[in-house]
Amino acid sequence: MTRQINLIGKHIHDQGGSRVAIYLPNSVEFIATLFACAFHNLEAILVPFDQPDEAVISMLRRSAADTVIA
């Protein structure tokens, strides 16, 4: 798990990401991404899962995220 957290965070950071929108159900992947953001000084933006497409698109636009994990 620690390896996955580091790989996710390092990849996002290396690609120039700083604001990460996370659109995932409650899962191991969600937790790994959240910890990756915390450990690599990335701003995590939590987008509620299982919302209508229009609502998700609107939230993503307002968030100004440069990276989306879905």
Side-chain angles (χ1 to χ4, degrees):
M1 183 73 151
T2 301
R3 184 172 185 273
Q4 291 174 335
I5 291 168
N6 287 328
L7 286 172
I8 293 167
K10 184 172 178 359
H11 179 74
I12 294 169
H13 188 265
D14 289 349
Q15 298 300 313
S18 61
R19 294 178 53 88
V20 182
I22 305 172
Y23 180 69
L24 293 170
N26 290 337
S27 63
V28 173
E29 292 83 5
F30 175 83
I31 297 296
T33 304
L34 191 58
F35 275 105
C37 289
F39 295 156
H40 289 271
N41 287 333
L42 304 169
E43 185 175 349
I45 302 161
L46 306 180
V47 179
F49 190 73
D50 204 20
Q51 299 294 312
D53 294 343
E54 298 81 24
V56 172
I57 292 168
S58 174
M59 285 184 253
L60 289 174
R61 284 188 178 141
R62 286 182 303 193
S63 74
D66 53 38
T67 305
V68 177
I69 305 289

